[in-house]
Amino acid sequence: MNIKSYISRLLALVLVVVIGLVGCSSPSGLSGNYGQDTLTVIGTLTQAIDQPEDAPNKADIQSLARQQINDYISRYRKDTKSGGLRSFTTMQTAVNALAGYYTAYGSRPIPEKLKARLKQEFNIVELSLKKEA
């Protein structure tokens, strides 16, 4: 009986640790490093807007883009170090435009005018990150 009690407690402790670690991980691949996370999100969003309409993995990439947008904004919006940076405010403008388009139009093709604007804003963000570093 004593061994069973010890094993069940040990098993419960292991389960709590595993659940805690899995719950704290980021499914979107963001690391917590502002500069690196910004470049990761830009890469994913660029890939999402450049996908051809008949791409087999288009839905998966759009889903990842939405997840990264949500995680990125929720992580860095209230951060005093990154929240006031030009790179963040420009990035927030870009992701708001894309998220708004996904919400309003779903999986319809992204207009060329919006693609051009997003790419321009992504370039501004990358330049701002270099200056801020």
Side-chain angles (χ1 to χ4, degrees), residues 60-78:
D60 294 335
I61 292 174
Q62 283 184 345
S63 177
L64 176 62
R66 288 177 178 154
Q67 181 66 44
Q68 282 187 349
I69 288 170
N70 290 336
D71 288 353
Y72 179 83
I73 293 298
S74 66
R75 179 176 290 211
Y76 295 111
R77 179 186 313 135
K78 293 185 180 182

Side-chain angles (χ1 to χ4, degrees), residues 25-39:
S25 66
S26 175
S28 61
L30 300 182
S31 65
N33 177 330
Y34 170 72
Q36 184 60 43
D37 287 350
T38 302
L39 294 175

Side-chain angles (χ1 to χ4, degrees), residues 110-124:
I110 298 173
E112 290 301 318
K113 186 175 180 179
L114 179 58
K115 284 183 186 181
R117 177 180 153 211
L118 291 171
K119 288 180 181 184
Q120 179 182 13
E121 288 177 348
F122 293 156
N123 287 334
I124 292 170

Side-chain angles (χ1 to χ4, degrees), residues 30 33-35 37-39 41-42 45 68-97 121-130 132:
L30 300 182
N33 177 330
Y34 170 72
D37 287 350
T38 302
L39 294 175
V41 172
I42 287 173
L45 297 182
Q68 282 187 349
I69 288 170
N70 290 336
D71 288 353
Y72 179 83
I73 293 298
S74 66
R75 179 176 290 211
Y76 295 111
R77 179 186 313 135
K78 293 185 180 182
D79 185 8
T80 57
K81 293 179 184 175
S82 61
L85 297 174
R86 178 170 184 199
S87 61
F88 179 77
T89 56
T90 306
M91 187 69 173
Q92 187 174 15
T93 301
V95 297
N96 283 344
E121 288 177 348
F122 293 156
N123 287 334
I124 292 170
V125 170
E126 289 173 346
L127 290 173
S128 296
L129 282 174
K130 290 177 183 176
E132 295 163 359

